[in-house]
Amino acid sequence: MPQVVETTDEIGVREQRDILVLSFNQISEPTPLSDESWKNIPYRSMILQWLEANEFAWEMCIHCSPGTIVTSYKGDIYIDLPPDPQCQRYQRLLEFLEDEEENCRFPGVSFWRMPLSLSQTLYDQRQALADQ
């Protein structure tokens, strides 16, 4: 059944704060028979299991810039947690996802923070393009 997957800028505007995103970079292109190759991304299911076991809410998302063609879902997720360095849950998430040098410890996985200001800019640009 089809479902709506929001873009990162839509989520940032909706939440009215910086957001946390995991992107999975090493993904093969889907075959003609399957458009869900993201289900087989190394580390993705393990990370999702950890998030759920530790009660971190998440949702699927797509990152694309205004004026680009929206592609099929590639497995990216938004983690519903404000990036607050004083928050113990945020620190726990960082300990799981990052190594000592603050790089994502899982090969082929990018962990990034999207500022609200960027979300708002991209959202406004996308709306302007849609209104043309």
Side-chain angles (χ1 to χ4, degrees):
M1 177 168 184
Q3 72 185 96
V4 175
V5 178
E6 288 187 295
T7 61
T8 50
D9 58 293
E10 291 170 322
I11 295 169
V13 170
R14 178 188 77 205
E15 298 295 328
Q16 283 298 293
R17 62 172 164 79
D18 294 2
I19 62 169
L20 302 172
V21 178
L22 285 176
S23 293
F24 299 89
N25 306 317
Q26 295 178 356
I27 179 173
S28 59
E29 288 301 314
T31 65
L33 299 176
S34 171
D35 63 354
E36 296 184 342
S37 57
W38 53 269
K39 288 184 177 179
N40 300 316
I41 298 172
Y43 297 112
R44 187 179 184 278
S45 62
M46 188 219 26
I47 291 169
L48 295 182
Q49 288 173 3
W50 185 91
L51 291 172
E52 290 171 2
N54 289 278
E55 300 180 351
F56 285 88
W58 62 273
E59 65 185 76
M60 299 186 305
C61 66
I62 295 174
H63 181 70
C64 59
S65 300
T68 62
I69 297 172
V70 177
T71 62
S72 62
Y73 179 65
K74 303 276 188 195
D76 294 355
I77 64 168
Y78 152 68
I79 301 171
D80 188 8
L81 179 73
D84 176 3
Q86 305 303 315
C87 174
Q88 288 182 348
R89 285 183 53 76
Y90 179 63
Q91 290 302 318
R92 187 171 176 202
L93 180 68
L94 293 180
E95 288 172 12
F96 172 69
L97 291 173
E98 293 184 338
D99 62 19
E100 304 77 35
E101 296 173 1
E102 299 182 352
N103 297 312
C104 189
R105 69 176 69 244
F106 303 103
V109 180
S110 296
F111 176 46
W112 47 283
R113 175 181 182 161
M114 185 167 176
L116 173 58
S117 59
L118 178 57
S119 292
Q120 190 67 61
T121 298
L122 295 174
Y123 182 83
D124 292 344
Q125 289 173 357
R126 188 182 320 281
Q127 294 307 308
L129 287 171
D131 291 342
Q132 291 181 356

